[in-house]
Amino acid sequence: MKKIVVKFGGSNLRQAQDIDRVINVVQSYQRPLVLVVSAFYGITNALIACVQAAKEGAGTKAALVESQDYTLHLRRLKREIIEANVADPAERDRIEQALAVRIDQLDRYLTGIHCIGDVPTFVNDAILSYGERLSSLLLTEVLLSRGIEAREALPEDIGLITDGVFGNSACDFAASTSSVARALEGDGVIIVPGFYGVDRDGKATLFGRGGSDYSAASIACCIGAESLDVWKDVDGFLSADPGTVSSPRSIAQLNYLEAAELSYFGAKILHPRTVEPLFNQDIPIRILNITRPERGLQPYTMINNQRKVTKDVVKSVTSTEDVAILKLHGPGVGFKSGILAQVTNALDSHGINIKSVLTAQTAINILLARDHLDAAYDIVAEHHLAGVVEVSRNAEVAIVAVVGDGVLEASDVGSAIASRALSAAIASGVRVCLAAAGASEVAAYMLVHQEDRKLALQAVHSEFFG
C-alpha cells in the first residue's frame, strides 16, 4: 500500500492544545503515515531575529545574554507543551531531557556566532532548521506517550539530499529517491522535520521560507505517495482573500498550474514550488482544514493534473505586495542586444531572483521581490550599462492576478479575460502601472499602486464573481 504524506504547518501548531488536534487527525487515518512538520508558529521568525541580533552584537555581553535568554524561553515553551500533553511525570522528564539535548545544540551555534563575529551561510541554515527539529522530536515523543507507534526521521538520516544552495535549495531527486524511500518504509507514523535537507557534505540547507511544503512534496515524490495531504486552518483555496473580499467562493479542484500560479501571485495556502516534485508522478495534493473535524478526511481543495476550463474561466483573484520594479531607462534599451543578459547575469551572481521582465523600446521593467530591490539597484547602477541613461526603482506597487485554466486561450479568441480585469480595476479608480498576459497559460496580472491593492482585488473579484 502506498503511504500518504501528511503536512502540518505552523498555523496548526500555535499553542499547546493544538497537539491534540494533530493527534486526532493522525489517528483518523488508521494507516501508516509520513508526517512532515513545520516549526511552531513564530519560532522561525524569532530565530531569524535572534541570529540577526547575535550578528550585530557579536562579542558583547548583552548580545550573548539575549541569545541565552531566547534558548531559555524555548526550554520553558517546550516544557509547557509537554505538561499540557503528557500525563506521566516520568515521561515528561524523559521528553524534556531529549529536547534539552537539541536546544543545547542550538545554543552552541548561537554562542559560536559571538565567538567568530559572523554568521556563515551554513551556520544560518543550521540554526533556522531547529524550529522544525524541535517540532518533530516533540510530536514524536507525544505520539509515543499516547501509545501510537512513531519514530522521528531527520533529513540527514534518511538522505534527503539537496543541490547545496544555502537558503534556497532544491531537492536532488537522483541522489535522494532510493535512500528516502528505503528509510521511510515500515509501519507506524514517521515524523520528518520540514524546511531543510542536507548537501552532500551533510550540512543543512534550507528550502526557502515556507519550504516545509516543498519538503513534504519532495518526500512524497521520493516514496511515490498516494497523496500529499496539507492541513491548514482555512477552507482550502478560495476565489479571493477572505480578509479583503466578502464571501469568497471555495474552489473544489485546481490543476497543478493553477495552484502554482495562485501561490506565486500571493495565495498563502501553498509554497509556490510545492507542485514541482509531484507534477510528473500525478500525486494529488489535498487541502484540508484542521479546525473542521466534522469533515473528517474530506478535502476542501483537490489539486491534480485534471485541466478544466470553467464557464467563467477565472477561478481565483489573488494579490501580493512582495514585488518591486527595477527600471532601466534609455532611448534604445529595448532594442540594444546584451543589456538584459548583462543585468540578469549580474543579479543571478548575487542570488537575486527575477520574477518577471516587461520590455519596451525605451525601458526594461524588471520585477523583483521587494527586499531585493535596493541590492539589485546598487548592482545595476554600478555596471554603467551602455545605452542605459537612468536606473530607477519603485517599491510602492502590488500585483493583482487572475488565475484559471483558459485565461490565455480566452484572451486569444476575444473573450478578453485580461482586458475585463484591467477595465474593472481602472473603472474603480485603481492606478495601474503595468499589465501582462500571455506569460502563463493560466494567469494574467497587473501591477497597481500599493495603496490601491485591496480596491483592485475587490473590483476584479466583483467583475468575475459578482
Side-chain angles (χ1 to χ4, degrees):
M1 177 190 294
K2 291 184 176 182
K3 289 188 177 182
I4 294 175
V5 175
V6 181
K7 191 264 177 175
F8 294 105
S11 63
N12 305 140
L13 300 168
R14 292 176 180 265
Q15 51 193 355
Q17 294 78 7
D18 289 341
I19 294 288
D20 272 336
R21 281 180 172 173
V22 171
I23 292 174
N24 289 336
V25 167
V26 170
Q27 291 176 318
S28 70
Y29 279 93
Q30 298 184 338
R31 60 185 291 177
L33 300 172
V34 176
L35 306 188
V36 177
V37 294
S38 297
F40 267 71
Y41 186 79
I43 294 294
T44 301
N45 285 339
L47 286 172
I48 291 172
C50 199
V51 168
Q52 186 61 31
K55 183 178 180 180
E56 292 174 355
T60 66
K61 183 177 180 180
L64 180 58
V65 169
E66 185 176 350
S67 294
Q68 293 169 339
D69 284 346
Y70 182 68
T71 53
L72 285 173
H73 165 72
L74 274 181
R75 294 177 201 276
R76 289 193 298 268
L77 176 64
K78 299 307 177 184
R79 187 182 307 120
E80 291 170 4
I81 297 170
I82 294 167
E83 291 174 351
N85 289 280
V86 180
D88 182 76
E91 281 287 289
R92 288 180 181 176
D93 290 342
R94 184 184 61 80
I95 297 170
E96 190 171 341
Q97 289 173 15
L99 286 167
V101 171
R102 207 156 281 184
I103 295 176
D104 286 345
Q105 295 168 352
L106 171 62
D107 202 21
R108 285 194 292 272
Y109 272 117
L110 290 171
T111 302
I113 295 174
H114 295 279
C115 294
I116 65 175
D118 193 14
V119 188
T121 53
F122 76 91
V123 172
N124 180 77
D125 282 22
I127 289 173
L128 298 191
S129 72
Y130 270 87
E132 279 69 19
R133 294 177 196 250
L134 292 170
S135 290
S136 61
L137 178 57
L138 178 57
L139 184 56
T140 301
E141 295 293 351
V142 174
L143 286 168
L144 288 169
S145 75
R146 303 284 183 93
I148 299 170
E149 183 184 352
R151 64 182 172 91
E152 185 187 33
L154 299 176
E156 53 264 44
D157 296 331
I158 65 176
L160 185 62
I161 307 300
T162 73
D163 60 6
V165 177
F166 292 105
N168 192 31
S169 62
C171 182
D172 183 338
F173 291 100
S176 301
T177 298
S178 60
S179 60
V180 170
R182 186 167 53 252
L184 300 182
E185 289 176 346
D187 295 331
V189 179
I190 305 171
I191 300 94
V192 183
F195 193 31
Y196 81 99
V198 293
D199 66 13
R200 291 177 182 270
D201 296 323
K203 292 185 174 66
T205 64
L206 302 182
F207 289 127
R209 287 306 305 268
S212 290
D213 286 346
Y214 178 77
S215 296
S218 298
I219 290 169
C221 175
C222 288
I223 69 172
E226 179 179 315
S227 67
L228 168 58
D229 289 5
V230 179
W231 287 85
K232 309 292 291 187
D233 58 354
V234 294
D235 296 343
F237 279 92
L238 302 173
S239 60
D241 175 13
T244 303
V245 171
S246 60
S247 303
R249 302 179 189 179
S250 182
I251 306 173
Q253 189 271 334
L254 291 168
N255 65 51
Y256 292 123
L257 297 179
E258 291 170 324
E261 294 291 9
L262 281 172
S263 301
Y264 182 77
F265 284 117
K268 303 299 184 183
I269 304 300
L270 288 177
H271 188 280
R273 295 172 61 196
T274 306
V275 305
E276 285 178 29
L278 309 177
F279 189 90
N280 289 331
Q281 292 194 44
D282 191 21
I283 297 172
I285 305 171
R286 295 160 21 108
I287 311 296
L288 305 100
N289 189 344
I290 202 168
T291 69
R292 307 271 195 182
E294 68 277 5
R295 282 182 67 97
L297 300 178
Q298 181 67 28
Y300 275 90
T301 303
M302 174 76 82
I303 301 165
N304 52 32
N305 68 356
Q306 296 178 19
R307 303 192 63 176
K308 180 181 179 181
V309 179
T310 60
K311 178 184 176 183
D312 296 317
V313 181
V314 174
K315 292 182 181 175
S316 185
V317 184
T318 189
S319 67
T320 180
E321 294 182 351
D322 184 23
V323 65
I325 305 173
L326 180 69
K327 182 175 283 191
L328 282 60
H329 305 263
V333 291
F335 179 78
K336 186 176 178 59
S337 62
I339 291 180
L340 188 55
Q342 292 178 62
V343 172
T344 55
N345 288 336
L347 296 181
D348 181 65
S349 67
H350 287 80
I352 295 175
N353 182 53
I354 295 174
K355 289 179 176 284
S356 186
V357 177
L358 294 95
T359 64
Q361 173 68 8
T362 60
I364 298 175
N365 298 274
I366 300 171
L367 307 190
L368 308 160
R370 182 166 296 182
D371 59 1
H372 287 166
L373 178 62
D374 290 340
Y377 176 86
D378 292 340
I379 291 166
V380 173
E382 289 173 2
H383 269 68
H384 304 293
L385 300 168
V388 176
V389 298
E390 181 187 359
V391 180
S392 65
R393 51 190 159 178
N394 182 5
E396 303 301 315
V397 293
I399 284 180
V400 175
V402 290
V403 176
D405 208 349
V407 163
L408 178 59
E409 292 87 345
S411 297
D412 286 345
V413 299
S415 296
I417 299 300
S419 296
R420 283 177 61 191
L422 184 61
S423 298
I426 292 173
S428 296
V430 173
R431 293 162 293 174
V432 178
C433 305
L434 293 169
S440 166
E441 299 174 57
V442 300
Y445 67 91
M446 66 186 82
L447 271 84
V448 304
H449 283 246
Q450 183 179 350
E451 60 191 40
D452 291 345
R453 181 187 67 83
K454 289 186 177 181
L455 175 61
L457 191 67
Q458 292 163 351
V460 176
H461 188 267
S462 179
E463 169 68 20
F464 291 102
F465 296 96

